[in-house]
């Protein structure tokens, strides 16, 4: 099935392995090379910010622009980063997955399975920095030359106590949607000293 923006779990893992969080980077031109209906942070080519702010934009705003920026910063080009994504998928044992971009915008050759996404997420959960990012539901991006400070938040109803869908102990990890992929979600919850991981793809409600 199509993973939509749950793809960004892989992008985050590779970024955390490659880029120091406190490093100040310049957003590359590739950040602007996303389809018009993409979700964006937004980040702008030439804008300077920390890696940490860029990755929060990737995960909390699900920015396709941020995903392309991460790809170039990590591997020199989007294409080289995608190769790295597929290599890592093979190492993890994701036998039924293939990536063609770092963000999950629809492509018929960009696919995975719920099982493979679970394997990927379990790999991420072994990294303390990954867990720290996914426990954060809001973050203020520091002021840059292109904008004022920007508060970004996760809107997932699972985390809201007044929501019909609230689930005690739920946190992370990544939602996604395209018309072809449907509603997708990789979620985690801690309760009674147990950790539960759920992967749901191709939901229509």
């Amino acid at each position: 099935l199509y993973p939509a923006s749950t793809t960004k779990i892989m992008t985050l893992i590779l970024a955390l392995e490659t880029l120091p969080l406190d490093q100040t980077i310049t957003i590359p031109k590739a950040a602007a090379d996303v389809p018009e209906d993409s979700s964006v942070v937004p980040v702008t080519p030439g804008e300077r910010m920390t890696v940490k702010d860029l990755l929060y934009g990737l995960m909390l705003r699900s920015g396709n622009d941020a995903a392309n920026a991460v790809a170039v910063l990590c591997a020199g080009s989007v294409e080289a980063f995608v190769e790295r994504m597929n290599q890592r998928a093979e190492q993890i044992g994701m036998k039924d997955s293939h990536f063609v971009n770092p963000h999950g915008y629809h492509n018929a050759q960009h696919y995975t399975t719920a099982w493979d996404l679970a394997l990927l997420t379990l790999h991420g959960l072994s990294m303390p920095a990954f867990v720290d990012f996914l426990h954060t539901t809001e973050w203020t991006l520091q002021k840059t030359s292109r904008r004022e400070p920007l508060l970004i938040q996760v809107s997932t109803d699972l985390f809201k106590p007044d929501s019909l869908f609230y689930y005690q102990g739920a946190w992370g990890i990544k939602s996604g949607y395209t018309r072809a992929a449907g509603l997708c979600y990789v979620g985690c919850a801690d309760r009674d000293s147990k950790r539960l991981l759920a992967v749901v793809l191709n939901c229509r409600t």
Side-chain angles (χ1 to χ4, degrees):
L1 297 170
Y2 304 122
S5 284
T6 62
T7 298
K8 295 181 174 96
I9 296 171
M10 175 69 88
T11 303
L12 176 63
I13 288 171
L14 294 179
L16 291 173
E17 292 176 345
T18 309
L19 303 172
L21 293 177
D22 59 355
Q23 179 180 339
T24 298
I25 52 86
T26 301
I27 299 299
K29 292 180 180 179
D33 187 20
V34 294
E36 288 186 3
D37 58 343
S38 288
S39 55
V40 295
V41 177
V43 294
T44 308
E47 188 175 12
R48 289 180 60 77
M49 64 180 61
T50 64
V51 169
K52 180 179 283 189
D53 276 359
L54 178 62
L55 295 184
Y56 274 120
L58 173 77
M59 297 306 287
L60 300 189
R61 274 284 178 91
S62 200
N64 290 1
D65 51 353
N68 272 9
V70 165
V72 173
L73 292 166
C74 286
S77 70
V78 171
E79 293 76 15
F81 187 79
V82 169
E83 287 185 20
R84 193 177 294 182
M85 294 172 76
N86 286 310
Q87 289 168 359
R88 181 53 54 85
E90 185 176 352
Q91 292 167 358
I92 292 171
M94 300 171 67
K95 297 179 179 179
D96 298 298
S97 298
H98 184 256
F99 298 106
V100 298
N101 62 56
H103 40 66
Y105 194 88
H106 180 66
N107 183 298
Q109 298 305 311
H110 188 100
Y111 55 82
T112 189
T113 67
W115 178 256
D116 280 2
L117 278 178
L119 291 176
L120 175 64
T121 303
L122 288 170
H123 177 71
L125 291 174
S126 69
M127 306 167 61
F130 180 90
V131 177
D132 288 345
F133 264 87
L134 279 306
H135 269 298
T136 304
T137 57
E138 67 176 40
W139 182 259
T140 299
L141 302 179
Q142 298 174 29
K143 180 180 178 179
T144 72
S145 61
R146 309 296 175 90
R147 57 159 174 76
E148 294 301 309
L150 177 64
L151 175 65
I152 57 176
Q153 298 172 302
V154 171
S155 58
T156 307
D157 289 338
L158 282 170
F159 309 147
K160 299 177 181 178
D162 59 348
S163 167
L164 176 66
F165 301 104
Y166 176 68
Y167 192 88
Q168 182 183 354
W171 59 275
I173 289 175
K174 191 70 192 75
S175 61
Y177 173 78
T178 66
R179 183 173 297 178
L183 293 158
C184 304
Y185 194 71
V186 180
C188 208
D190 294 332
R191 190 188 296 181
D192 298 331
S193 300
K194 296 179 181 178
R195 174 163 290 174
L196 307 179
L197 176 64
V199 182
V200 185
L201 300 176
N202 194 31
C203 288
R204 295 296 155 182
T205 60

